[in-house]
Amino acid sequence: MSAECSSYLNADKVLVSGFSCPRAGGDARAVFCCGFQDIKYCCDDPHSFFPYEHSYMWWLSVGALVGLSIAAVVLFAFIITVCVLCYLFISTKPRSKLDSGLSLQMA
């Protein structure tokens, strides 16, 4: 069993000629054409070809980084808010016990 990886333009816009999988001197199990439209290689997983350019992965990474940064800022703000509220709760408690107005005496 073998697969044909068609020619493609890589990220530098250089034409890379097509090749057959498995490649000479490569892994004999790598019989499938894998990768992206602008980066192709032979591998052993038939579901590893993605009809997109490899650069779209960077946008996913940037999106994940932005999402994690926003989550970190929200978590940090929550922790600061809880600390400030705890401090205010502790610092505004009265130092002495309140006088209830009733005196307890033994009869």
Side-chain angles (χ1 to χ4, degrees), residues 67-81:
L68 289 174
S69 298
I70 291 171
V73 167
V74 169
L75 179 64
F76 183 69
F78 176 75
I79 290 172
I80 295 297
T81 302

Side-chain angles (χ1 to χ4, degrees), residues 45-67:
D45 184 6
H47 305 291
S48 292
F49 182 76
F50 305 98
Y52 313 105
E53 289 186 0
H54 183 256
S55 61
Y56 96 100
M57 295 295 286
W58 290 108
W59 289 110
L60 291 178
S61 299
V62 169
L65 185 62
V66 168

Side-chain angles (χ1 to χ4, degrees), residues 12-27:
D12 298 326
K13 303 299 181 204
V14 176
L15 181 65
V16 177
S17 60
F19 53 89
S20 296
C21 295
R23 294 184 104 165
D27 187 1

